[in-house]
Amino acid sequence: HFYKRFYCLVCCMFRLRPLLVLIPCMQGAKKAKMTQEFPKSLAGFGYGFCKGKLRKLDSEGQFTEEGFQFVDQAHYEALGDVIGEEVYTLLEKQGKLDRVEVGLGKPKSFIFCSSEHMTSDKLVVMIHGSGVVRAGQWARRLIINEDLDKGTMLPFIAHARETGWGVVVMNTNMNTAGKTDEDIPGSESPEDHANTVWENIVAKSKAKNIVIIAHSYGGVVTMELARSFKTDFLHRVSGVFLTDSVHYKLSGDKEVDKKLEKIGKNYVGSDLEVGTPVEKMFGSKDIPRFSAGHEKHEWTSWSAMEEIFKDMEKAGKEGDEKEDEDTKNKAEKKEEL
């Protein structure tokens, strides 16, 4: 038995030899990336946003007609980090949102909110997907290769504010702080972050009519919120509008799931006309699926945007009607007493 096991071990080592050879190379590449210095500003990379599009700057700092040019992956990721900071600034300046710290201790995470987010009757909560994106971004690739309108939440925020909604933009991928990679208490994962934001901000707001707009993994985060805050989802949430969500199940609570099926829509990647019903993947127990009007995952938020605006308007009206009905019922009961 010993020789048989030894033989098997030798065979395995032989088969793994190419991978074992690669490990030092991979470690070296990682170390090189860590030691490589990149600019800390968009201008430092030689770029700027001109009319929403990423454009190269000339030697005098003026915009050219040239767009993004790929150098290598490390350069791309570093540029993406700087663009993340640029979007944060745009949320404040263009979106007129405030940066609000959240967390159970130090270090803290932060989100972006409109000034009336705690007092508005209507509140929209926006949740991005997983990976490298941060608050305000739907798709980094579209920001870099297309424009800010297609890749960010800015058009959604502008519409929400114009139509009287308070705004909360989550930052679910901000789970560690600074160069130390220290976990942020209450934001250790996207789900933890969302729960912390909802418990400390959304739940305490005066909003009687709440709509959630979430992309990709943001749908998974939304289902976690539905599990954690049943009462709010049953009585305050009037719309859940997802774009190509990757959730594979609902909350698991029959009452909440019934509500989600009624008020929810998932705009999925499809070449059908936007808004066309699409067959459900997991049988009848799921949020209804509709075509986003585009096949590619990262385009779904932009391509379904106008439909979502219509959904928001409908959810807002239905929420107001429900509030009026509740007020009427309370008044009638008071008269009976």
Side-chain angles (χ1 to χ4, degrees):
H1 291 292
F2 170 78
Y3 290 109
K4 188 175 181 180
R5 289 177 182 174
F6 180 75
Y7 176 75
C8 290
L9 179 62
V10 171
C11 289
C12 287
M13 292 291 288
F14 181 79
R15 291 177 180 177
L16 289 171
R17 187 174 59 174
L19 291 175
L20 294 173
V21 170
L22 280 173
I23 288 174
C25 299
M26 291 168 66
Q27 290 175 334
K30 185 177 180 181
K31 186 176 181 181
K33 180 183 174 183
M34 290 173 65
T35 56
Q36 197 170 358
E37 290 291 331
F38 288 103
K40 303 298 182 184
S41 69
L42 197 55
F45 276 92
Y47 288 102
F49 281 108
C50 179
K51 296 179 180 179
K53 294 182 179 289
L54 190 68
R55 290 289 179 258
K56 274 195 167 185
L57 304 175
D58 62 21
S59 58
E60 296 180 354
Q62 301 299 311
F63 289 109
T64 70
E65 292 300 314
E66 290 184 75
F68 169 70
Q69 289 186 348
F70 184 81
V71 177
D72 56 40
Q73 191 60 30
H75 180 274
Y76 180 81
E77 290 176 7
L79 175 63
D81 291 341
V82 167
I83 286 175
E85 293 296 329
E86 193 79 9
V87 172
Y88 287 161
T89 301
L90 288 169
L91 291 177
E92 293 174 309
K93 292 185 176 179
Q94 187 176 321
K96 308 297 182 186
L97 303 183
D98 300 322
R99 191 180 299 217
V100 177
E101 285 192 337
V102 291
L104 305 178
K106 291 186 178 181
K108 290 185 178 294
S109 180
F110 57 84
I111 59 174
F112 291 86
C113 305
S114 59
S115 58
E116 73 286 356
H117 70 281
M118 294 300 289
T119 58
S120 178
D121 288 336
K122 300 189 298 183
L123 186 67
V124 59
V125 179
M126 302 185 194
I127 310 173
H128 56 66
S130 62
V132 295
V133 292
R134 295 292 185 270
Q137 302 181 48
W138 293 129
R140 178 185 284 185
R141 184 184 300 178
L142 296 186
I143 296 172
I144 292 175
N145 295 299
E146 297 293 332
D147 57 53
L148 288 167
D149 278 354
K150 294 182 178 68
T152 73
M153 299 177 185
L154 288 169
F156 288 80
I157 294 165
H159 177 81
R161 303 211 63 185
E162 287 167 8
T163 52
W165 293 78
V167 178
V168 170
V169 178
M170 291 200 184
N171 204 4
T172 56
N173 292 334
M174 186 179 175
N175 311 125
T176 58
K179 296 179 180 180
T180 61
D181 281 340
E182 183 182 354
D183 283 343
I184 298 174
S187 290
E188 294 88 347
S189 71
E191 292 86 348
D192 290 334
H193 173 90
N195 280 329
T196 297
V197 172
W198 196 283
E199 182 177 356
N200 292 282
I201 292 178
V202 180
K204 294 179 180 179
S205 74
K206 293 183 178 179
K208 298 174 182 177
N209 188 351
I210 302 171
V211 159
I212 297 171
I213 302 174
H215 175 61
S216 191
Y217 194 81
V220 177
V221 173
T222 301
M223 296 309 128
E224 172 62 24
L225 288 171
R227 278 188 286 273
S228 301
F229 301 95
K230 176 177 177 177
T231 301
D232 278 347
F233 272 74
L234 289 178
H235 301 291
R236 301 174 72 195
V237 176
S238 57
V240 173
F241 308 125
L242 312 176
T243 57
D244 222 16
S245 170
V246 296
H247 73 276
Y248 61 94
K249 62 180 180 179
L250 299 182
S251 72
D253 182 287
K254 290 182 180 180
E255 198 176 3
V256 174
D257 290 350
K258 186 178 180 181
K259 174 79 179 286
L260 289 171
E261 289 174 44
K262 180 182 177 182
I263 65 168
K265 285 187 174 183
N266 184 14
Y267 289 95
V268 300
S270 168
D271 59 359
L272 297 174
E273 184 179 352
V274 63
T276 303
V278 177
E279 187 179 354
K280 294 180 181 179
M281 288 182 66
F282 306 110
S284 60
K285 299 297 180 183
D286 193 16
I287 288 176
R289 289 156 48 93
F290 298 85
S291 171
H294 203 293
E295 289 183 288
K296 291 187 177 179
H297 177 71
E298 66 268 24
W299 281 85
T300 53
S301 298
W302 164 255
S303 58
M305 181 172 66
E306 294 298 332
E307 288 295 308
I308 293 173
F309 290 168
K310 295 175 187 176
D311 295 332
M312 285 178 65
E313 184 179 358
K314 184 180 178 183
K317 287 179 179 178
E318 289 178 353
D320 290 340
E321 289 171 2
K322 184 178 182 298
E323 184 182 344
D324 291 340
E325 186 179 339
D326 290 344
T327 303
K328 183 180 177 182
N329 291 336
K330 286 179 182 178
E332 288 175 353
K333 286 182 180 179
K334 190 175 182 181
E335 287 178 6
E336 289 175 3
L337 292 170

